[in-house]
Amino acid sequence: MILFILVFLTAFAISIALTPIIKKLAFKINAVDVPKDERRIHNKPIPRIGGVAIYIAFIAGILIYSTLDRHVYGIIIGSTIIFIGGFIDDLKNLKPKYKLFFQIAAALVLIFFDVNVKFLTIPFAANGESLYIGYIGTAITFLWVVGITNALNLIDGLDGLATGVCFISAISLFFVSLISGRSIAVIMTLVLSGACLGFLPYNFNPASIFLGDSGAQLLGFLLAAISIQGAIKSAAAFAIAVPIIALGIPIYDTLFAMIRRKINNRPISEADRGHFHHRLLDMGLNQKQVVLIMYSVSIVFGIVSVLAMLLTAKKSFALLIIIFAVTLSFAIEFGLLSKK
């Protein structure tokens, strides 16, 4: 328990100490977000390379406390690739195809270093058997990593939203990894959650610094990689349903955004104001209220994901189906899939 606290506090201290320095650096190198369109909530220039502080805090924490094996090296290298791509985007506004290039490269690094899905729990098998899926697992890993990386980036629309959701998801995955005995993932979730919490005071409304792509994509990538290392790789013990539930907010928000844009004949990569947090703002709530609601929903998903660990594979998949049905009904009722 003392080790857990030390791991968390180390990442937290590095992140909270570095962020003011990164803020000053951002203005010097012109890495600043200037409000230009209706999607922007802020009304003044804000530094947007907060990911630098989180990246340094995460890497430092891992190097200090984690056993450096093949899987860890893969996650370090992959996260570095994602960070570099995001940092360049924060400076130069990369085209989507170039962003995707860095994401693909990072996902392939994970696969090369054996951080990938090899077994999948058979959903409704009596004894929770798992099936070796070979190259199908490689494809699932690739889609999972690229998908979650973009999902966190998409919800980074309000002060503190993506950072706080990542913190909650990381804590949820900490308990998932602890229950399943995945020691490396336990350390990684603590480092990630500490880095997020250290950054959050500066990022919460009114934010004095943004995550930027260097931060939002990094958080998504790390959640994807750690969930594979700490959850999906142990498919014989529990189902892929667990991390899907734990990362519910970014997954469902992204899924509904893709469906909504398809319905409206708009490019999937095109931004809009149809996300859950935008709908809440349109109802008259302020930023803090919306973000706290999103945090609360994320906490519910996190608690359910940990409870799912205590269920059989059959019951956890049944729970996932119920959650999806309820969430879809809510999305339809709330207009998240509506034509605009």
Side-chain angles (χ1 to χ4, degrees), residues 36-274:
K36 298 176 182 177
D37 54 55
E38 63 172 6
R39 293 188 305 107
R40 296 295 196 274
I41 306 299
H42 60 289
N43 53 20
K44 64 179 181 179
I46 303 289
R48 61 180 180 187
I49 53 171
V52 176
I54 292 178
Y55 171 77
I56 294 173
F58 179 81
I59 297 298
I62 293 303
L63 292 177
I64 293 170
Y65 293 106
S66 182
T67 301
L68 299 179
D69 63 6
R70 181 179 176 86
H71 300 146
V72 175
Y73 283 125
I75 292 174
I76 289 175
I77 295 172
S79 62
T80 300
I81 292 172
I82 282 289
F83 169 73
I84 291 172
F87 187 77
I88 294 173
D89 184 53
D90 288 335
L91 296 177
K92 305 292 185 180
N93 290 318
L94 290 177
K95 293 181 179 179
K97 63 180 180 181
Y98 297 123
K99 293 184 185 182
L100 185 60
F101 169 79
F102 282 99
Q103 294 168 7
I104 290 173
L108 291 177
V109 164
L110 285 185
I111 292 168
F112 177 79
F113 282 88
D114 202 33
V115 182
N116 65 331
V117 182
K118 293 183 178 179
F119 295 89
L120 197 63
T121 305
I122 301 172
F124 296 103
N127 299 315
E129 296 96 338
S130 59
L131 178 69
Y132 178 73
I133 53 177
Y135 290 116
I136 296 176
T138 300
I140 291 173
T141 301
F142 179 82
L143 293 173
W144 176 260
V145 172
V146 174
I148 300 299
T149 299
N150 282 290
L152 253 292
N153 199 31
L154 282 175
I155 69 166
D156 186 30
L158 296 179
D159 296 351
L161 179 55
T163 307
V165 167
C166 181
F167 168 74
I168 294 166
S169 297
I171 291 296
S172 302
L173 289 174
F174 162 73
F175 287 108
V176 168
S177 303
L178 191 63
I179 293 171
S180 62
R182 309 293 291 187
S183 59
I184 292 177
V186 166
I187 297 298
M188 287 189 169
T189 53
L190 287 171
V191 173
L192 179 57
S193 58
C196 286
L197 194 61
F199 179 72
L200 193 56
Y202 305 100
N203 187 227
F204 196 73
N205 183 261
S208 60
I209 186 170
F210 292 153
L211 279 169
D213 267 39
S214 60
Q217 289 193 61
L218 175 66
L219 295 185
F221 175 83
L222 289 173
L223 284 176
I226 294 170
S227 65
I228 292 173
Q229 183 64 25
I232 302 174
K233 283 178 73 70
S234 297
F238 51 92
I240 195 173
V242 172
I244 291 176
I245 297 171
L247 306 181
I249 285 283
I251 288 176
Y252 289 121
D253 194 59
T254 301
L255 175 62
F256 297 147
M258 293 170 65
I259 296 173
R260 181 175 62 251
R261 291 164 191 173
K262 183 66 176 177
I263 291 173
N264 289 286
N265 296 315
R266 297 173 65 176
I268 290 178
S269 60
E270 182 180 310
D272 62 19
R273 278 188 57 88

